[in-house]
Amino acid sequence: PTPTPTPGGTAIGRTNWVLSASQHQEIVNDIKDGNTGTRWHNDGGENSITIDMGSAQTFNKVVMDAGTFTEDY
Protein backbone atom coordinates (compact mmCIF):
# COMPACT_ATOMS: atom_id res chain seq x y z
CA PRO A 1 0.00 0.00 0.00
CA THR A 2 1.07 3.55 -0.64
CA PRO A 3 1.37 5.64 2.52
CA THR A 4 -0.88 8.70 2.60
CA PRO A 5 0.97 11.93 3.46
CA THR A 6 -0.66 14.45 5.73
CA PRO A 7 -1.10 18.03 4.51
CA GLY A 8 2.26 19.76 4.60
CA GLY A 9 4.19 16.51 4.96
CA THR A 10 5.40 13.50 3.04
CA ALA A 11 4.83 9.92 4.17
CA ILE A 12 7.89 7.67 4.47
CA GLY A 13 7.61 4.51 2.35
CA ARG A 14 7.25 1.27 4.35
CA THR A 15 8.16 -1.31 1.72
CA ASN A 16 11.68 -2.10 2.96
CA TRP A 17 11.06 -1.76 6.68
CA VAL A 18 12.17 -4.69 8.82
CA LEU A 19 10.10 -5.13 11.98
CA SER A 20 10.67 -7.22 15.08
CA ALA A 21 8.57 -7.59 18.22
CA SER A 22 8.95 -8.84 21.77
CA GLN A 23 5.76 -10.89 21.27
CA HIS A 24 3.78 -12.15 18.30
CA GLN A 25 6.54 -11.85 15.70
CA GLU A 26 4.24 -13.74 13.31
CA ILE A 27 1.95 -10.70 12.96
CA VAL A 28 4.39 -7.80 13.41
CA ASN A 29 4.26 -6.93 9.68
CA ASP A 30 0.57 -6.05 10.17
CA ILE A 31 1.95 -2.75 11.52
CA LYS A 32 2.96 -1.66 8.02
CA ASP A 33 0.38 -3.34 5.79
CA GLY A 34 -1.87 -0.27 5.47
CA ASN A 35 -4.93 -2.32 6.45
CA THR A 36 -6.85 -0.91 9.44
CA GLY A 37 -8.51 -4.32 9.82
CA THR A 38 -5.20 -5.93 10.90
CA ARG A 39 -2.84 -5.05 13.73
CA TRP A 40 0.01 -6.18 15.93
CA HIS A 41 -0.93 -6.78 19.55
CA ASN A 42 0.67 -8.10 22.70
CA ASP A 43 -0.48 -10.09 25.69
CA GLY A 44 -0.10 -7.20 28.13
CA GLY A 45 2.79 -6.04 30.23
CA GLU A 46 5.85 -4.32 28.86
CA ASN A 47 6.39 -5.16 25.19
CA SER A 48 8.04 -3.49 22.28
CA ILE A 49 8.42 -3.33 18.53
CA THR A 50 11.53 -2.29 16.63
CA ILE A 51 11.31 -0.76 13.17
CA ASP A 52 14.42 -0.71 10.98
CA MET A 53 13.62 1.77 8.21
CA GLY A 54 16.69 0.73 6.22
CA SER A 55 18.35 4.13 6.42
CA ALA A 56 18.38 7.20 8.60
CA GLN A 57 15.09 9.12 8.37
CA THR A 58 14.04 12.51 9.65
CA PHE A 59 10.40 12.95 10.63
CA ASN A 60 8.34 15.08 12.98
CA LYS A 61 5.15 13.07 13.28
CA VAL A 62 4.05 9.48 13.83
CA VAL A 63 0.44 8.52 13.08
CA MET A 64 -1.01 5.41 14.73
CA ASP A 65 -4.43 4.45 13.38
CA ALA A 66 -6.23 1.89 15.54
CA GLY A 67 -8.90 1.38 12.87
CA THR A 68 -11.73 -0.61 14.45
CA PHE A 69 -9.58 -1.58 17.46
CA THR A 70 -10.46 1.50 19.52
CA GLU A 71 -9.46 0.01 22.89
CA ASP A 72 -5.83 -0.62 21.86
CA TYR A 73 -4.09 2.59 22.93
Side-chain angles (χ1 to χ4, degrees), residues 3 11-20 28-29 31-33 49-55 57 59 62-63:
I12 297 172
R14 300 175 279 207
T15 304
N16 295 318
W17 289 7
V18 177
L19 288 78
S20 59
V28 74
N29 283 314
I31 291 169
K32 66 174 186 168
D33 69 2
I49 58 168
T50 300
I51 303 172
D52 178 350
M53 296 179 173
S55 63
Q57 301 289 325
F59 52 93
V62 174
V63 176

Side-chain angles (χ1 to χ4, degrees), residues 23-57:
Q23 288 187 4
H24 299 294
Q25 183 66 35
E26 70 279 7
I27 59 171
V28 74
N29 283 314
D30 289 353
I31 291 169
K32 66 174 186 168
D33 69 2
N35 180 350
T36 58
T38 62
R39 67 189 174 115
W40 172 81
H41 66 277
N42 65 50
D43 294 327
E46 293 185 25
N47 296 281
S48 64
I49 58 168
T50 300
I51 303 172
D52 178 350
M53 296 179 173
S55 63
Q57 301 289 325

